[in-house]
Amino acid sequence: MIVGMYLEYLWAADWQAIPEHCESRSSLPWLDFCDCYHRYTFSHAMLRGQNLTVFGCIGTGVALCFLVVEHQRVQRLRLLLRARVEGMGADSSDAASSGAKYALRCLPVYSFLMTVAFLGVLLLVPFHLERPRLHYLCAASVAGCMLVGVCIYATMPLQQAAGWSGTGPEAAMIVRDSSADGGTSDELLKWAQRHQLYRKIACFVVAWHIILPATTAIHHFAWIDATGRLFGACEVLTILSYQIFVAFFAIDDFAVREVNHHKPQIVNSAKDAQVTDACAGG
């Protein structure tokens, strides 16, 4: 949706002339300075036609669905980490136990930041660019919460918590031998393996937060249409990087569903085995 809106804006928008005072932009007050960059931003694209209404309707549904699903995903990970700590003893100073405890402290902070970020995205509809102070405050809050949340999640020591330090079968044996609940530990091990992918995507998100200020500086000094469009494209790609990061969480969601689907089969198999043993004993 974001890419489509922005491309349509670039294709069809009637470009307004850049105000003359932007030639001396370095000495302008910050609101006037930001106004010089408006026409290349996604925020300005939202003002075209019915884009605000479309963004508000679709964005509200997507944000609410994400918050519900993400809450369930975080709750599942929290349960796995708590089971890990309890299985090793609450007073254990083992590296895996320490990693699990640290991850448990990170999860509430991460969850809070992501909730604030997605609710902040919805506030960009009433606090659009024609209300610049509120818009910039809201946009900065969203970007800051999202970036910090991504970094916190990426740096959580899930590999340490799961007792996993490699990719071979010996890593799985470490987990099974160190916990009384092999099923829970196996699931946490799989979370830790998937977490490696999220770390790589987090680097992608951070990279765009470095590229965007760089293209802003290039446009500031070059001040030509090409650099302006480059700045706008990088802004949209930075926004898109957030969506790519959270989209990959669907892997965790499907994994949790698969585990829940197999649990009844495991329980029934265990009961059948007990019945068979009882009959054999009789």
Side-chain angles (χ1 to χ4, degrees):
M1 179 182 71
I2 289 176
V3 174
M5 279 187 180
Y6 191 70
L7 289 178
E8 189 275 337
Y9 168 73
L10 292 180
W11 178 263
D14 296 326
W15 293 94
Q16 298 177 356
I18 298 177
E20 293 183 0
H21 64 259
C22 290
E23 295 300 326
S24 56
R25 54 195 170 278
S26 297
S27 59
L28 292 175
W30 72 273
L31 278 177
D32 293 332
F33 174 83
C34 293
D35 185 59
C36 295
Y37 293 80
H38 280 179
R39 75 172 187 172
Y40 297 106
T41 63
F42 178 74
S43 297
H44 201 272
M46 287 175 64
L47 297 177
R48 173 176 166 75
Q50 299 299 316
N51 283 352
L52 268 179
T53 303
V54 173
F55 184 88
C57 293
I58 298 178
T60 299
V62 171
L64 292 178
C65 289
F66 170 80
L67 290 175
V68 171
V69 173
E70 181 64 1
H71 174 74
Q72 296 174 347
R73 193 185 71 87
V74 170
Q75 284 296 101
R76 181 59 184 171
L77 180 55
R78 184 180 287 116
L79 289 174
L80 292 174
L81 291 169
R82 285 177 178 170
R84 181 67 166 156
V85 172
E86 292 170 1
M88 303 187 69
D91 298 329
S92 174
S93 59
D94 183 84
S97 179
S98 299
K101 292 175 183 176
Y102 182 79
L104 280 170
R105 291 194 296 269
C106 290
L107 272 179
V109 180
Y110 158 79
S111 184
F112 172 78
L113 289 173
M114 297 301 281
T115 301
V116 171
F118 272 85
L119 293 178
V121 169
L122 300 182
L123 289 177
L124 289 174
V125 176
F127 299 156
H128 49 74
L129 205 51
E130 292 179 353
R131 299 174 176 174
R133 287 185 174 84
L134 291 174
H135 178 81
Y136 293 133
L137 176 61
C138 191
S141 299
V142 169
C145 288
M146 190 69 75
L147 179 60
V148 175
V150 167
C151 292
I152 287 176
Y153 191 84
T155 55
M156 281 197 307
L158 290 187
Q159 286 76 27
Q160 179 183 339
W164 179 66
S165 58
T167 57
E170 67 280 358
M173 291 301 296
I174 293 174
V175 177
R176 292 191 181 95
D177 292 343
S178 62
S179 174
D181 189 352
T184 299
S185 296
D186 286 345
E187 188 179 351
L188 184 58
L189 172 64
K190 292 176 182 178
W191 277 77
Q193 291 171 334
R194 294 192 297 268
H195 190 250
Q196 290 291 86
L197 172 63
Y198 302 145
R199 284 187 167 182
K200 295 177 182 178
I201 302 172
C203 293
F204 171 76
V205 175
V206 173
W208 280 110
H209 282 81
I210 297 172
I211 295 171
L212 179 59
T215 56
T216 305
I218 291 172
H219 179 53
H220 176 76
F221 291 106
W223 204 247
I224 57 176
D225 185 65
T227 56
R229 291 175 182 266
L230 176 63
F231 156 70
C234 288
E235 184 211 31
V236 172
L237 289 172
T238 302
I239 298 171
L240 192 62
S241 70
Y242 303 144
Q243 297 185 337
I244 292 174
F245 183 82
V246 299
F248 272 89
F249 286 157
I251 301 174
D252 286 338
D253 298 329
F254 284 118
V256 171
R257 286 179 176 271
E258 184 178 357
V259 169
N260 292 335
H261 175 72
H262 287 298
K263 275 183 179 180
Q265 299 178 8
I266 295 171
V267 172
N268 291 334
S269 299
K271 289 181 179 179
D272 292 342
Q274 291 175 358
V275 172
T276 302
D277 290 344
C279 291

